[in-house]
Amino acid sequence: GQQVMQIPQYQHVQEGEDFTTYCNSSTTLSNIQWYKQRPGGHPVFLIQLVKSGEVKKQKRLTFQFGEAKKNSSLHITATQTTDVGTYFCADTSGTYKYIFGTGTRLKVLA
Amino acid sequence: EADIYQTPRYLVIGTGKKITLECSQTMGHDKMYWYQQDPGMELHLIHYSYGVNSTEKGDLSSESTVSRIRTEHFPLTLESARPSHTSQYLCASSAGVNTEAFFGQGTRLTVV
């Protein structure tokens, strides 16, 4: 079945270091969404990518969609303690279901 | 702030009890979803609905059932709670495919 894997599963960084999480699908994605879930909270939408090779930026966050639309990445420049949480990618594959990736849990050490 | 609400936020209940987790949204969304999530782990889709009187089972087998009699309301019921049901249950809604999903605050269920 449809699977969306994320690596790494966990990442600890020193505050100020960069962080990247990768999302990989076994099938071609119609689009990809990214969500952030703070500890004890619920997932909150960050962004959606639709086009092959698309790159979008939100302040220190850079989102990229692969040329083959089978992978995506989220890069955070100069992490801050407020970046702590779990980052999920999600594929809707043209259906009404959101298939979430396995998630990357980020810890930022001050 | 998203207008999707879940009650209760926390629930501790004995084995064998019947429980209903409530989820309501005021955004007029047709699509609603239930996810099960252990702390810090993956989100597993257990039920979803395309609209009133339409429900489907998700990718994770679940002993729960759902109903969708009104657009704004999507309750989840466990007929006989077991300790293996201990988890967080997240409700979400969206306007349609390729749009943002809005999540409720979740219900943390503990079955003792």
Side-chain angles (χ1 to χ4, degrees):
Chain A
Q2 187 181 3
Q3 285 191 329
V4 183
M5 304 298 293
Q6 282 184 252
I7 54 172
Q9 189 176 3
Y10 301 95
Q11 184 86 57
H12 294 185
V13 299
Q14 285 291 137
E15 189 174 21
E17 290 183 341
D18 292 356
F19 160 77
T20 304
T21 173
Y22 300 91
C23 179
N24 299 296
S25 172
S26 56
T27 59
T28 301
L29 304 167
S30 57
N31 66 60
I32 194 87
Q33 297 180 351
W34 285 92
Y35 292 77
K36 176 183 178 181
Q37 184 176 23
R38 294 183 185 275
H42 57 279
V44 174
F45 176 82
L46 294 175
I47 208 160
Q48 176 169 276
L49 304 173
V50 179
K51 298 177 184 176
S52 168
E54 188 171 15
V55 178
K56 287 188 176 180
K57 292 191 176 186
Q58 287 180 351
K59 297 183 180 178
R60 295 178 295 104
L61 278 61
T62 301
F63 304 85
Q64 194 160 5
F65 205 1
E67 293 289 343
K69 299 185 77 173
K70 284 191 170 185
N71 56 73
S72 180
S73 64
L74 158 59
H75 179 82
I76 302 178
T77 303
T79 54
Q80 300 175 359
T81 54
T82 53
D83 295 324
V84 165
T86 303
Y87 293 85
F88 292 98
C89 61
D91 170 38
T92 61
S93 293
T95 69
Y96 299 118
K97 294 192 295 182
Y98 295 78
I99 304 299
F100 283 84
T102 48
T104 296
R105 193 187 300 184
L106 173 65
K107 287 193 175 181
V108 180
L109 307 172
Chain B
E1 194 71 20
D3 296 319
I4 178 165
Y5 308 99
Q6 290 185 242
T7 57
R9 288 291 309 279
Y10 303 92
L11 179 62
V12 180
I13 200 161
T15 298
K17 298 293 185 183
K18 177 180 178 179
I19 57 170
T20 296
L21 308 185
E22 302 288 349
C23 177
S24 294
Q25 50 95 7
T26 59
M27 296 175 281
H29 288 167
D30 284 331
K31 315 302 181 284
M32 296 190 74
Y33 311 85
W34 277 103
Y35 289 88
Q36 184 176 343
Q37 183 187 38
D38 292 328
M41 303 300 284
E42 297 177 54
L43 291 152
H44 295 288
L45 180 66
I46 52 176
H47 295 283
Y48 58 105
S49 169
Y50 294 157
V52 171
N53 294 325
S54 153
T55 61
E56 300 284 345
K57 288 188 180 291
D59 301 319
L60 181 68
S61 175
S62 174
E63 293 163 348
S64 58
T65 59
V66 292
S67 63
R68 190 87 183 275
I69 298 172
R70 304 197 314 267
T71 298
E72 61 271 22
H73 196 212
F74 191 40
L76 181 145
T77 298
L78 275 168
E79 291 292 333
S80 180
R82 295 210 303 267
S84 60
H85 295 139
T86 294
S87 190
Q88 174 168 245
Y89 293 84
L90 287 160
C91 179
S93 74
S94 73
V97 64
N98 294 337
T99 65
E100 166 183 0
F102 294 90
F103 282 83
Q105 303 265 32
T107 294
R108 292 186 188 274
L109 173 66
T110 303
V111 184
V112 297

